[in-house]
Amino acid sequence: GGFGGRGGYNGGYEGGYQQEHYNRPPPSRPEDHGRQVFVNNLTWKCSWQDLKDLFKEAGEVIRADVLRYPDGRSRGVGTVLFATAEAATHAVESFNDREFQGRPIGVKLDKYV
């Protein structure tokens, strides 16, 4: 899989695996409830690795994703899944409205998990 002339749908996510539906986050599991945060106001250049590196200050990060349009452009939002609910709560308290890559980011618990 890759981008191979298919309009960018395969690989619409950075961060781990190919995903056909570019406008939805990776599928969640019931056990992830309370452990994932939603991040908005990201710069276009922010990668999943940037998110993971930032949020590991709050606790162990299982995965980080930046949502992208079919053409590969960032949607300016992402998700970070933590090992524990405590780490996710700590991330919201520590990083909401914090400046990252030159702009304040919004961080909240992901209610869709």
Side-chain angles (χ1 to χ4, degrees):
F3 292 95
R6 291 188 155 104
Y9 282 95
N10 287 338
Y13 277 90
E14 290 186 354
Y17 62 89
Q18 303 290 319
Q19 176 74 316
E20 203 80 48
H21 304 286
Y22 66 90
N23 61 344
R24 289 195 295 233
S28 60
R29 304 169 307 166
E31 60 267 29
D32 295 342
H33 183 75
R35 297 191 303 134
Q36 184 161 288
V37 297
F38 179 82
V39 187
N40 64 18
N41 204 31
L42 296 171
T43 66
W44 63 269
K45 66 179 183 175
C46 182
S47 71
W48 68 267
Q49 189 69 54
D50 295 331
L51 272 187
K52 187 171 185 175
D53 289 346
L54 175 68
F55 282 94
K56 66 185 179 187
E57 292 177 32
E60 182 185 351
V61 174
I62 302 298
R63 69 176 293 127
D65 292 282
V66 174
L67 281 65
R68 299 197 173 274
Y69 290 109
D71 64 6
R73 290 180 302 131
S74 172
R75 295 184 60 182
V77 297
T79 57
V80 181
L81 177 63
F82 290 93
T84 65
E86 293 77 19
T89 300
H90 181 61
V92 172
E93 294 165 354
S94 301
F95 293 101
N96 189 41
D97 287 329
R98 181 166 156 180
E99 190 167 299
F100 177 59
Q101 295 182 339
R103 56 170 62 173
I105 57 172
V107 182
K108 61 185 179 182
L109 286 175
D110 190 344
K111 64 184 177 187
Y112 294 107
V113 175

